[in-house]
PDB file of all heavy atoms in Angstrom:
ATOM      1  N   LYS S 319       0.305  -4.025  -7.033  1.00  0.00           N
ATOM      2  CA  LYS S 319      -0.743  -3.565  -6.140  1.00  0.00           C
ATOM      3  C   LYS S 319      -0.213  -3.507  -4.670  1.00  0.00           C
ATOM      4  O   LYS S 319      -0.439  -2.551  -3.990  1.00  0.00           O
ATOM      5  CB  LYS S 319      -1.903  -4.578  -6.125  1.00  0.00           C
ATOM      6  CG  LYS S 319      -2.642  -4.515  -7.544  1.00  0.00           C
ATOM      7  CD  LYS S 319      -3.885  -5.352  -7.493  1.00  0.00           C
ATOM      8  CE  LYS S 319      -4.967  -4.559  -6.697  1.00  0.00           C
ATOM      9  NZ  LYS S 319      -6.326  -5.157  -6.875  1.00  0.00           N
ATOM     10  N   SER S 320       0.475  -4.543  -4.263  1.00  0.00           N
ATOM     11  CA  SER S 320       0.961  -4.548  -2.867  1.00  0.00           C
ATOM     12  C   SER S 320       2.068  -3.467  -2.701  1.00  0.00           C
ATOM     13  O   SER S 320       2.053  -2.774  -1.692  1.00  0.00           O
ATOM     14  CB  SER S 320       1.605  -5.912  -2.471  1.00  0.00           C
ATOM     15  OG  SER S 320       2.666  -6.166  -3.275  1.00  0.00           O
ATOM     16  N   MET S 321       2.892  -3.276  -3.679  1.00  0.00           N
ATOM     17  CA  MET S 321       3.968  -2.242  -3.529  1.00  0.00           C
ATOM     18  C   MET S 321       3.402  -0.887  -3.539  1.00  0.00           C
ATOM     19  O   MET S 321       3.693  -0.005  -2.777  1.00  0.00           O
ATOM     20  CB  MET S 321       4.891  -2.333  -4.720  1.00  0.00           C
ATOM     21  CG  MET S 321       6.035  -1.338  -4.773  1.00  0.00           C
ATOM     22  SD  MET S 321       7.057  -1.555  -6.185  1.00  0.00           S
ATOM     23  CE  MET S 321       7.644  -3.186  -6.091  1.00  0.00           C
ATOM     24  N   ARG S 322       2.340  -0.589  -4.454  1.00  0.00           N
ATOM     25  CA  ARG S 322       1.779   0.794  -4.529  1.00  0.00           C
ATOM     26  C   ARG S 322       1.045   1.084  -3.345  1.00  0.00           C
ATOM     27  O   ARG S 322       0.908   2.211  -2.812  1.00  0.00           O
ATOM     28  CB  ARG S 322       0.948   0.833  -5.868  1.00  0.00           C
ATOM     29  CG  ARG S 322       1.721   0.908  -7.076  1.00  0.00           C
ATOM     30  CD  ARG S 322       0.871   1.003  -8.369  1.00  0.00           C
ATOM     31  NE  ARG S 322       1.691   0.942  -9.486  1.00  0.00           N
ATOM     32  CZ  ARG S 322       2.342   1.848 -10.107  1.00  0.00           C
ATOM     33  NH1 ARG S 322       2.238   3.115  -9.596  1.00  0.00           N
ATOM     34  NH2 ARG S 322       3.003   1.749 -11.170  1.00  0.00           N
ATOM     35  N   LYS S 323       0.337   0.041  -2.712  1.00  0.00           N
ATOM     36  CA  LYS S 323      -0.384   0.234  -1.460  1.00  0.00           C
ATOM     37  C   LYS S 323       0.601   0.690  -0.427  1.00  0.00           C
ATOM     38  O   LYS S 323       0.278   1.636   0.316  1.00  0.00           O
ATOM     39  CB  LYS S 323      -1.078  -1.121  -1.169  1.00  0.00           C
ATOM     40  CG  LYS S 323      -1.930  -0.938   0.268  1.00  0.00           C
ATOM     41  CD  LYS S 323      -2.559  -2.227   0.613  1.00  0.00           C
ATOM     42  CE  LYS S 323      -3.109  -2.163   1.948  1.00  0.00           C
ATOM     43  NZ  LYS S 323      -3.772  -3.471   2.413  1.00  0.00           N
ATOM     44  N   LYS S 324       1.671   0.007  -0.291  1.00  0.00           N
ATOM     45  CA  LYS S 324       2.598   0.350   0.689  1.00  0.00           C
ATOM     46  C   LYS S 324       3.275   1.781   0.477  1.00  0.00           C
ATOM     47  O   LYS S 324       3.487   2.572   1.350  1.00  0.00           O
ATOM     48  CB  LYS S 324       3.786  -0.653   0.821  1.00  0.00           C
ATOM     49  CG  LYS S 324       4.509  -0.640   2.132  1.00  0.00           C
ATOM     50  CD  LYS S 324       5.307  -1.878   2.320  1.00  0.00           C
ATOM     51  CE  LYS S 324       6.012  -1.957   3.591  1.00  0.00           C
ATOM     52  NZ  LYS S 324       5.053  -2.041   4.718  1.00  0.00           N
ATOM     53  N   LEU S 325       3.604   2.033  -0.811  1.00  0.00           N
ATOM     54  CA  LEU S 325       4.023   3.374  -1.284  1.00  0.00           C
ATOM     55  C   LEU S 325       3.094   4.426  -0.858  1.00  0.00           C
ATOM     56  O   LEU S 325       3.498   5.514  -0.357  1.00  0.00           O
ATOM     57  CB  LEU S 325       4.409   3.389  -2.709  1.00  0.00           C
ATOM     58  CG  LEU S 325       5.714   2.654  -3.146  1.00  0.00           C
ATOM     59  CD1 LEU S 325       5.889   2.647  -4.629  1.00  0.00           C
ATOM     60  CD2 LEU S 325       6.960   3.324  -2.506  1.00  0.00           C
ATOM     61  N   ASN S 326       1.859   4.165  -1.146  1.00  0.00           N
ATOM     62  CA  ASN S 326       0.760   5.231  -0.903  1.00  0.00           C
ATOM     63  C   ASN S 326       0.859   5.603   0.626  1.00  0.00           C
ATOM     64  O   ASN S 326       0.711   6.754   1.005  1.00  0.00           O
ATOM     65  CB  ASN S 326      -0.627   4.693  -1.252  1.00  0.00           C
ATOM     66  CG  ASN S 326      -0.762   4.583  -2.788  1.00  0.00           C
ATOM     67  OD1 ASN S 326       0.044   5.156  -3.623  1.00  0.00           O
ATOM     68  ND2 ASN S 326      -1.801   3.953  -3.243  1.00  0.00           N
ATOM     69  N   GLU S 327       0.913   4.463   1.458  1.00  0.00           N
ATOM     70  CA  GLU S 327       0.851   4.735   2.911  1.00  0.00           C
ATOM     71  C   GLU S 327       2.155   5.422   3.394  1.00  0.00           C
ATOM     72  O   GLU S 327       2.073   6.440   4.135  1.00  0.00           O
ATOM     73  CB  GLU S 327       0.781   3.381   3.589  1.00  0.00           C
ATOM     74  CG  GLU S 327      -0.585   2.697   3.434  1.00  0.00           C
ATOM     75  CD  GLU S 327      -0.550   1.261   4.000  1.00  0.00           C
ATOM     76  OE1 GLU S 327       0.552   0.828   4.418  1.00  0.00           O
ATOM     77  OE2 GLU S 327      -1.668   0.659   4.019  1.00  0.00           O
ATOM     78  N   ASN S 328       3.264   5.128   2.736  1.00  0.00           N
ATOM     79  CA  ASN S 328       4.493   5.748   3.166  1.00  0.00           C
ATOM     80  C   ASN S 328       4.582   7.177   2.774  1.00  0.00           C
ATOM     81  O   ASN S 328       5.015   8.074   3.572  1.00  0.00           O
ATOM     82  CB  ASN S 328       5.789   4.973   2.509  1.00  0.00           C
ATOM     83  CG  ASN S 328       5.972   3.650   3.120  1.00  0.00           C
ATOM     84  OD1 ASN S 328       5.507   3.413   4.168  1.00  0.00           O
ATOM     85  ND2 ASN S 328       6.660   2.750   2.532  1.00  0.00           N
ATOM     86  N   ILE S 329       4.096   7.516   1.546  1.00  0.00           N
ATOM     87  CA  ILE S 329       4.139   8.942   1.106  1.00  0.00           C
ATOM     88  C   ILE S 329       3.108   9.728   1.935  1.00  0.00           C
ATOM     89  O   ILE S 329       3.404  10.882   2.334  1.00  0.00           O
ATOM     90  CB  ILE S 329       3.699   9.037  -0.410  1.00  0.00           C
ATOM     91  CG1 ILE S 329       4.854   8.328  -1.289  1.00  0.00           C
ATOM     92  CG2 ILE S 329       3.438  10.473  -0.846  1.00  0.00           C
ATOM     93  CD1 ILE S 329       6.190   9.141  -1.250  1.00  0.00           C
ATOM     94  N   ALA S 330       1.909   9.131   2.310  1.00  0.00           N
ATOM     95  CA  ALA S 330       1.039   9.842   3.153  1.00  0.00           C
ATOM     96  C   ALA S 330       1.620  10.197   4.507  1.00  0.00           C
ATOM     97  O   ALA S 330       1.509  11.201   5.043  1.00  0.00           O
ATOM     98  CB  ALA S 330      -0.262   8.942   3.364  1.00  0.00           C
ATOM     99  N   ASP S 331       2.376   9.147   5.058  1.00  0.00           N
ATOM    100  CA  ASP S 331       3.121   9.453   6.369  1.00  0.00           C
ATOM    101  C   ASP S 331       4.082  10.579   6.168  1.00  0.00           C
ATOM    102  O   ASP S 331       4.152  11.446   7.046  1.00  0.00           O
ATOM    103  CB  ASP S 331       3.791   8.123   6.861  1.00  0.00           C
ATOM    104  CG  ASP S 331       2.835   7.140   7.344  1.00  0.00           C
ATOM    105  OD1 ASP S 331       1.601   7.544   7.707  1.00  0.00           O
ATOM    106  OD2 ASP S 331       3.140   5.891   7.462  1.00  0.00           O
ATOM    107  N   GLN S 332       4.878  10.570   5.086  1.00  0.00           N
ATOM    108  CA  GLN S 332       5.825  11.590   4.831  1.00  0.00           C
ATOM    109  C   GLN S 332       5.240  12.965   4.767  1.00  0.00           C
ATOM    110  O   GLN S 332       5.728  13.944   5.343  1.00  0.00           O
ATOM    111  CB  GLN S 332       6.606  11.362   3.468  1.00  0.00           C
ATOM    112  CG  GLN S 332       7.624  10.187   3.664  1.00  0.00           C
ATOM    113  CD  GLN S 332       8.942  10.716   4.412  1.00  0.00           C
ATOM    114  OE1 GLN S 332       9.153  11.897   4.624  1.00  0.00           O
ATOM    115  NE2 GLN S 332       9.722   9.736   4.875  1.00  0.00           N
ATOM    116  N   ILE S 333       4.110  13.097   3.980  1.00  0.00           N
ATOM    117  CA  ILE S 333       3.423  14.249   3.866  1.00  0.00           C
ATOM    118  C   ILE S 333       2.984  14.933   5.295  1.00  0.00           C
ATOM    119  O   ILE S 333       3.201  16.075   5.535  1.00  0.00           O
ATOM    120  CB  ILE S 333       2.239  14.196   2.863  1.00  0.00           C
ATOM    121  CG1 ILE S 333       2.753  14.006   1.486  1.00  0.00           C
ATOM    122  CG2 ILE S 333       1.255  15.362   2.997  1.00  0.00           C
ATOM    123  CD1 ILE S 333       1.657  13.762   0.448  1.00  0.00           C
ATOM    124  N   GLU S 334       2.431  14.007   6.040  1.00  0.00           N
ATOM    125  CA  GLU S 334       1.852  14.487   7.325  1.00  0.00           C
ATOM    126  C   GLU S 334       2.878  14.903   8.309  1.00  0.00           C
ATOM    127  O   GLU S 334       2.585  15.603   9.330  1.00  0.00           O
ATOM    128  CB  GLU S 334       0.897  13.346   7.889  1.00  0.00           C
ATOM    129  CG  GLU S 334      -0.303  13.240   7.019  1.00  0.00           C
ATOM    130  CD  GLU S 334      -1.224  12.064   7.571  1.00  0.00           C
ATOM    131  OE1 GLU S 334      -0.929  11.657   8.684  1.00  0.00           O
ATOM    132  OE2 GLU S 334      -2.096  11.582   6.771  1.00  0.00           O
ATOM    133  N   ASN S 335       4.118  14.396   8.181  1.00  0.00           N
ATOM    134  CA  ASN S 335       5.086  14.536   9.113  1.00  0.00           C
ATOM    135  C   ASN S 335       6.355  15.453   8.649  1.00  0.00           C
ATOM    136  O   ASN S 335       7.254  15.665   9.455  1.00  0.00           O
ATOM    137  CB  ASN S 335       5.638  13.301   9.717  1.00  0.00           C
ATOM    138  CG  ASN S 335       4.478  12.573  10.415  1.00  0.00           C
ATOM    139  OD1 ASN S 335       3.995  12.966  11.544  1.00  0.00           O
ATOM    140  ND2 ASN S 335       4.055  11.396   9.831  1.00  0.00           N
ATOM    141  N   ASN S 336       6.421  15.737   7.412  1.00  0.00           N
ATOM    142  CA  ASN S 336       7.544  16.320   6.726  1.00  0.00           C
ATOM    143  C   ASN S 336       7.462  17.867   6.986  1.00  0.00           C
ATOM    144  O   ASN S 336       6.585  18.440   6.376  1.00  0.00           O
ATOM    145  CB  ASN S 336       7.668  16.003   5.276  1.00  0.00           C
ATOM    146  CG  ASN S 336       8.947  16.526   4.537  1.00  0.00           C
ATOM    147  OD1 ASN S 336       8.983  17.785   4.255  1.00  0.00           O
ATOM    148  ND2 ASN S 336       9.843  15.607   4.393  1.00  0.00           N
TER     149      ASN S 336
END
Side-chain angles (χ1 to χ4, degrees):
K319 295 188 71 168
S320 62
M321 179 185 300
R322 287 177 188 274
K323 177 182 177 182
K324 199 166 186 67
L325 284 173
N326 290 347
E327 293 173 354
N328 289 342
I329 293 294
D331 286 341
Q332 283 284 344
I333 286 174
E334 292 176 15
N335 297 292
N336 186 282

